[in-house]
Structures are given as structure tokens and as C-alpha cells.
């Protein structure tokens, strides 16, 4: 392999007065769907040596905690559009096995709502529940809400108590269906049909509890033919009744065009800005004061165009689907997607990495075997640990490269977060160059954090390197050398194709 060469420097200036917005901890959410092996043999596997009395895998729970996940969306995804919540509660032996049309699977309901709440309790994650607006509607959503959140004294809330849920679950965030714009969705709808149903469901749910936070379905991707007009129509119906509109986006390298893949966050930022503009257009049209925020509740790298080596032909429980193995390159793109979310923290106030375990996930498991961290685990864990506080505006002056999909793109993608209590700053950066190291110069004139605490880098001589059950620690972050502050300027060298976290403090080393 040839030695990397070096580009001209990329630069930006940090000033604590130039503020994007505070990071809502819900930005570090994830997603558990009844799909593939996310639940069964992922988080739940009675009989596994690491399983607790509830069948939850302790090894996985530990990794979930280490990952720093704040919220978890459940139970789908496409699965929710055929979900019958009442099948998933009560004595296990009485729960029915059903066909899950979304993923050609059988669903035993062995793991249900109560088990999910146990999982949330044990990991400290906030639940974010989706209701079925595909095959069901207003009545079912309200009944589920009553079962979950009403203190007691009604048939449904007393049923929860009888099932062991003495205290109400207190679920605050609710998604009004999933990807209802997608023709693949069971019960797919036009924007007019969905807008009316979402509004009526939201109105009824708010009659039960006005304090809920509700998410209306936006587009399943910005490439949907109805994108933007869908959001506009749906919000016209629901504006006063919901708090968020959802966004979903998945990225992959197509036809070997790695340069464009590395610039995926250009698309993500454009998507976010387009949805913000659409929300604010409806706000103007309705002469409303309130702003709608964004719930980016499915995002990740996902190789949708690759054939599934375990193609699902027969109905089976927990088939191996979407078990993408992430490379170093994928982790760099993934980190860049996190940077894109942070750079819009003023409006993206909730997000869910899709998904959490085994299915396009940062955590992998083998049935009866080990659990390990994928390459993408690390950017997420670092961002969740240190990307808390206020995002500072970063205007990058960077050398660029040419991409087929996005034209000229800066080699540097960056954001910075200040912890207002300590004044500490964390800079997250990606060098998109496949060949050249990128010198970084950050003028710290407007901040009081001039000591480097650490610079961790995720990069590798082999951009295809992955972690596996046999070599779970093949790829891990490592300290970078030579990063220092001189005369108020941070100097660092970003390796080719790298994700970087640089932490600065004002406290003496
Ligand atoms: O996350 C996998 C699937 O992707 C979800 O079920 C669906 O909402 C999306 O299309």
C-alpha cells in the first residue's frame, strides 16, 4: 500500500457565541423492531448463558449501555403496520403465534410490550412507541395508550396491572404509524388519507393525555415521488396536533462509487433542510406560532442492493435478515451522518439509529454465543458520551474533491459541541479523502478550551476491515499523535478515510 500524501489544511473557527442549538439527548436514540434477529437471539434469548431471569441477554444490555442509547423506538418499522399489541401482553403461554407480513416471519409474541418495558428499565432508555395505522386506527391506538399509561381503574389499565405492570409505563413519545407513504407498507395511504387518520388518532390520544409528544410520518426517503408534498399535506391536517415529523434515510455504496458514498451526509443535510423548510412553509400558511421539530427516526448505512445470503423463502421465526457487516469506510460515513444530525440540532431534536442489534446494527450476536461491537458502534458511543451540550456553528474552509452524485464536496465534515458547565469542547470530524491525510487548523479565539484531552481516530490501512465474532476487536478507535494547541490554534492531522473525536478543555492537564 502506498504512503498517504497530505492535502492543504482545512480550517474553521470556534466561538462560543455562535450557537446552533442545544443537543437534545434524544438525538442518541435507537430502534428495536420485531424483525430478523433484533429481538429474538438479539436482546432476548432465554437459555443463553448470559440471559437474566427475564430472558434478556446481559452481554447485550451492557453493550447497549456502553453505546449510550437514550431512547428506543418500538416495535417497528414495517412490522408495526400489522401489529396487534394485545397479542403481545399477558401470560406467555396464551400469546398467539401470527404471520408477520412485513418480513415474512412468524411472530410468537414471546417478547412483548411488558418485556420491552423491562428492557428499557434495565438499560435506562426512554421508550418511543409506534401505533399501527396500517391495518388499525384510532380505537386501537387509544386502547394501547390506556393499557400502557392509565394508572388503573379501567379494564385495560387493570389488565396491565394484572400482567405485572403495577405502575403505568408513562410512555411520552408516540409515532403515528410508520412509513405510510411507502407502497410496501401494509395499509399504505395517500397523504390525504394518512393526514386525516393521523390527525384523528392524535386528537383522541391527546384526549387521554394532552402531554404526549406525537410524531407524524414524513417521507420514507427524500427520493420518494411524493416527498415534500407528502409532508405539506400531512402537516396541513395535523399541525396543531403533532410535535414532530419523521425522516428516514439509508445510505450505501452503489456501483463502487465510494467518493459519493463518503459524501452521503450532503444528501442528509439537504433532506433535513428541505423538511425544515416544508414545516416552516406550513407554519406560515397556517399563521401558526408553534414550530414542528424533526424526528430522524430511521438512519444508517444499509446495503439494500446486496443480495441477502440467507434469503427468506419459508415463513420462519427470526430469520437472518439485514445482518450487514460494517467496514471502516461504513463507520466513517456513519460518523459523518452523526455530524449532519448534530449540525442541525436546533430542529432535529429526536433521532433513532436503525436498528440496535443484529439488523443493520452496531451490536451483533450469535445465538448461544458472543456479542460484539461493529465498527459503527464507536462513532455513536463517542458522540453520545461527549456530544452533549450546545452545538457551535462550524463554517468549514476545506479543500474539496469531486463526486459523481454531489459535485464538489469539502474533504472535511465537522461539528463541535460545548459543555456549558465545564466549557469543554468536543470536535467531531471526518476526512473524506481515501488517499490523503488532511491537516486541520481550528482557531480557538472565541472559546476558552486550549488543552487537548485526547484525539481518538477510527481509521485503518484496510478500509474494508470489519469486526467479527472471531475478531471482535479488529477495528477499534486509537489515540492519534501530534494533536496540539499552539498560539490559540488547534493543529491536528486527520488520517485518510477517518472519523475523529478531539476533546479540548480549559482545565490544566
Ligand atoms: O429498518 C428497517 C426498515 O426500514 C423498517 O422496518 C422500515 O420502516 C424501513 O423501511
Amino acid at each position: 500500500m502506498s504512503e498517504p500524501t497530505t492535502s492543504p489544511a482545512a480550517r474553521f473557527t470556534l466561538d462560543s457565541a455562535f450557537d446552533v442549538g442545544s443537543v437534545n439527548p434524544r438525538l442518541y436514540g435507537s430502534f428495536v423492531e420485531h424483525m430478523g434477529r433484533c429481538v429474538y437471539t438479539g436482546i432476548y434469548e432465554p437459555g443463553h448463558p448470559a440471559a437474566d431471569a427475564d430472558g434478556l441477554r446481559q452481554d447485550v444490555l451492557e453493550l447497549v449501555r456502553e453505546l449510550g442509547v437514550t431512547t428506543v423506538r418500538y416495535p417497528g418499522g414495517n412490522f408495526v403496520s400489522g401489529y396487534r399489541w394485545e397479542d403481545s401482553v399477558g401470560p406467555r403461554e396464551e400469546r398467539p403465534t401470527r404471520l408477520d407480513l412485513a418480513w415474512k416471519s412468524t411472530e410468537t409474541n414471546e417478547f412483548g410490550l411488558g418485556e420491552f418495558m423491562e428492557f428499557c428499565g434495565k438499560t435506562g432508555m426512554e421508550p418511543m412507541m409506534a401505533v399501527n395505522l396500517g391495518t388499525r386506527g384510532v380505537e386501537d391506538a387509544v386502547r394501547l395508550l390506556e393499557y400502557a399509561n392509565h394508572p388503573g381503574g379501567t379494564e385495560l389499565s387493570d389488565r396491565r396491572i394484572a400482567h405485572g405492570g403495577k405502575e403505568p409505563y408513562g410512555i411520552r413519545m408516540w409515532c403515528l404509524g410508520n412509513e405510510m407513504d411507502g407502497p410496501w407498507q401494509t395499509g399504505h395511504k395517500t397523504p390525504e388519507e394518512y393526514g386525516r387518520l393521523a390527525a384523528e388518532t392524535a386528537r383522541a390520544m391527546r384526549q387521554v393525555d394532552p402531554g404526549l409528544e406525537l410524531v407524524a410520518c414524513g417521507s420514507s426517503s427524500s427520493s420518494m415521488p411524493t416527498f415534500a408534498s407528502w409532508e405539506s399535506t400531512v402537516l396541513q391536517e395535523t399541525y396543531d396536533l403533532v410535535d414532530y415529523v419523521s425522516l428516514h434515510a439509508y445510505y450505501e455504496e452503489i456501483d463502487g462509487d465510494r467518493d459519493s458514498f463518503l459524501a452521503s451526509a450532503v444528501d442528509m443535510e439537504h433532506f433535513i433542510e428541505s423538511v425544515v423548510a416544508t414545516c416552516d412553509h406550513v407554519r406560515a400558511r397556517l399563521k401558526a406560532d408553534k414550530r414542528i421539530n424533526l424526528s430522524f427516526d430511521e438512519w444508517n448505512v444499509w446495503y439494500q442492493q446486496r443480495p441477502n445470503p440467507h434469503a427468506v423463502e419459508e415463513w420462519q421465526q427470526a430469520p437472518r435478515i439485514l445482518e450487514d457487516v460494517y467496514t471502516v469506510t461504513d463507520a466513517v460515513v456513519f460518523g459523518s451522518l452523526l455530524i449532519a444530525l448534530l449540525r442541525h440540532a436546533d430542529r432535529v431534536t429526536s433521532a433513532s439509529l436503525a436498528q440496535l442489534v443484529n439488523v443493520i446494527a452496531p451490536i451483533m450476536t450469535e445465538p448461544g454465543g458472543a456479542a460484539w461491537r461493529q465498527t459503527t458502534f464507536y462513532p455513536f458511543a463517542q458522540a453520545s458520551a461527549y456530544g452533549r451540550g450546545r452545538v457551535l456553528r462550524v463554517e468549514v474552509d476545506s479543500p474539496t474533491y469531486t463526486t459523481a452524485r454531489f459535485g464538489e464536496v469539502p474533504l472535511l465534515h465537522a461539528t463541535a459541541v460545548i459543555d456549558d458547565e465545564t466549557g469543554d469542547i468536543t470536535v467531531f470530524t471526518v476526512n473524506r479523502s481515501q488517499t490523503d491525510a488532511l491537516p486541520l487548523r481550528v482557531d480557538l479565539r472565541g472559546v476558552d478550551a486550549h488543552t487537548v484531552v485526547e484525539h481518538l481516530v477510527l481509521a485503518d490501512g484496510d478500509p474494508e476491515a470489519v469486526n467479527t465474532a472471531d475478531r471482535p476487536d479488529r477495528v477499534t478507535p486509537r489515540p492519534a499523535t501530534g494533536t496540539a494547541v499552539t498560539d490559540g490554534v488547534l493543529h491536528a492531522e486527520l488520517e485518510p478515510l477517518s472519523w475523529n473525536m478531539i476533546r479540548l478543555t480549559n482545565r490544566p492537564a
Side-chain angles (χ1 to χ4, degrees):
M1 186 160 208
S2 56
E3 281 296 303
T5 50
T6 303
S7 302
R11 302 168 188 279
F12 60 88
T13 299
L14 287 181
D15 191 318
S16 60
F18 296 160
D19 161 272
V20 172
S22 294
V23 181
N24 190 314
R26 284 178 175 159
L27 204 73
Y28 302 114
S30 186
F31 175 31
V32 165
E33 175 164 9
H34 280 255
M35 173 180 182
R37 297 194 307 112
C38 185
V39 171
Y40 301 107
T41 73
I43 59 181
Y44 176 79
E45 190 179 347
H48 187 280
D52 66 12
D54 295 318
L56 295 171
R57 284 184 60 157
Q58 297 297 298
D59 52 349
V60 174
L61 264 55
E62 260 171 50
L63 290 175
V64 170
R65 291 187 202 104
E66 183 185 325
L67 187 61
V69 179
T70 52
T71 63
V72 60
R73 183 167 171 255
Y74 178 83
N78 296 344
F79 173 81
V80 81
S81 294
Y83 178 53
R84 292 167 47 89
W85 65 269
E86 60 276 35
D87 290 347
S88 83
V89 298
R92 278 214 178 96
E93 56 288 1
E94 290 171 21
R95 297 184 196 171
T97 294
R98 299 214 187 263
L99 297 183
D100 161 27
L101 306 186
W103 302 111
K104 195 159 189 188
S105 307
T106 49
E107 174 53 59
T108 62
N109 286 299
E110 208 182 322
F111 183 97
L113 181 55
E115 290 75 22
F116 170 65
M117 292 308 300
E118 285 289 327
F119 172 59
C120 290
K122 288 179 180 173
T123 47
M125 294 187 293
E126 179 190 358
M128 178 178 177
M129 195 74 197
V131 298
N132 173 358
L133 295 190
T135 58
R136 294 185 142 188
V138 183
E139 182 185 1
D140 175 62
V142 169
R143 285 169 64 83
L144 169 56
L145 175 61
E146 182 182 329
Y147 176 92
N149 282 6
H150 195 69
T154 65
E155 188 269 321
L156 286 168
S157 54
D158 286 346
R159 212 195 288 178
R160 181 200 67 241
I161 294 167
H163 293 161
K166 191 164 171 290
E167 296 303 323
Y169 294 151
I171 304 170
R172 282 186 64 78
M173 280 197 83
W174 295 79
C175 302
L176 301 168
N178 175 70
E179 294 190 350
M180 299 308 302
D181 63 325
W184 58 86
Q185 201 69 214
T186 311
H188 159 234
K189 298 193 170 28
T190 66
E192 291 79 14
E193 288 165 348
Y194 172 69
R196 291 281 302 126
L197 179 59
E200 291 313 320
T201 307
R203 205 185 314 279
M205 290 177 79
R206 288 204 185 286
Q207 282 174 324
V208 178
D209 181 352
L212 300 178
E213 295 181 54
L214 302 179
V215 186
C217 289
S219 297
S220 333
S221 88
S222 59
S223 60
M224 292 300 286
T226 50
F227 171 56
S229 66
W230 170 278
E231 281 77 357
S232 172
T233 306
V234 167
L235 287 174
Q236 180 77 27
E237 292 289 342
T238 57
Y239 202 89
D240 289 342
L241 295 161
V242 303
D243 305 284
Y244 297 89
V245 65
S246 72
L247 297 81
H248 292 180
Y250 294 100
Y251 298 95
E252 66 186 310
E253 184 176 317
I254 297 172
D255 297 334
D257 181 4
R258 181 154 295 179
D259 279 336
S260 296
F261 177 50
L262 286 163
S264 296
V266 172
D267 179 78
M268 192 190 223
E269 296 207 18
H270 184 247
F271 186 18
I272 292 170
E273 287 157 20
S274 305
V275 175
V276 167
T278 306
C279 291
D280 291 350
H281 170 72
V282 180
R283 176 176 184 243
R285 218 163 58 200
L286 296 177
K287 301 183 172 48
D289 287 334
K290 160 182 163 183
R291 274 186 209 283
I292 298 289
N293 282 327
L294 275 50
S295 171
F296 214 124
D297 50 39
E298 288 187 31
W299 68 269
N300 205 346
V301 172
W302 173 8
Y303 284 92
Q304 301 194 52
Q305 300 204 350
R306 277 187 197 159
N308 175 14
H310 309 275
V312 184
E313 270 141 29
E314 300 298 325
W315 295 94
Q316 54 181 288
Q317 194 198 359
R320 284 185 185 260
I321 46 176
L322 275 62
E323 299 200 5
D324 287 9
V325 177
Y326 292 119
T327 64
V328 170
T329 306
D330 296 328
V332 171
V333 172
F334 179 99
S336 184
L337 300 178
L338 271 168
I339 289 172
L341 294 173
L342 283 165
R343 287 172 62 86
H344 295 84
D346 54 334
R347 295 299 287 273
V348 182
T349 54
S350 176
S352 309
L353 163 63
Q355 299 189 3
L356 185 57
V357 185
N358 288 330
V359 174
I360 46 172
I363 298 169
M364 297 300 285
T365 70
E366 271 305 317
W372 66 98
R373 304 166 190 81
Q374 293 236 52
T375 56
T376 53
F377 184 98
Y378 296 103
F380 191 100
Q382 291 173 347
S384 178
Y386 296 106
R388 306 286 184 121
R390 212 160 34 90
V391 176
L392 299 183
R393 190 164 300 285
V394 165
E395 296 295 344
V396 162
D397 172 13
S398 166
T400 60
Y401 73 118
T402 308
T403 67
R405 271 197 70 195
F406 308 109
E408 287 297 296
V409 172
L411 287 171
L412 178 71
H413 194 209
T415 190
V417 182
I418 184 164
D419 176 333
D420 274 322
E421 271 171 37
T422 61
D424 290 359
I425 288 180
T426 305
V427 173
F428 299 106
T429 64
V430 155
N431 175 8
R432 291 170 165 138
S433 171
Q434 297 188 54
T435 51
D436 292 359
L438 181 63
L440 175 68
R441 305 283 176 264
V442 183
D443 189 330
L444 301 172
R445 73 178 86 144
V447 295
D448 182 24
H450 290 194
T451 304
V452 176
V453 180
E454 63 177 348
H455 173 178
L456 294 175
V457 59
L458 192 79
D460 200 278
D462 176 6
E464 308 301 326
V466 297
N467 292 336
T468 58
D470 293 340
R471 292 190 71 188
D473 297 322
R474 165 68 185 79
V475 181
T476 56
R478 56 183 156 75
T481 51
T483 306
V485 176
T486 314
D487 297 332
V489 176
L490 170 70
H491 292 245
E493 174 127 318
L494 309 180
E495 291 181 35
L497 211 85
S498 62
W499 154 266
N500 302 266
M501 177 179 77
I502 304 172
R503 293 173 50 220
L504 300 162
T505 188
N506 57 8
R507 289 166 288 179

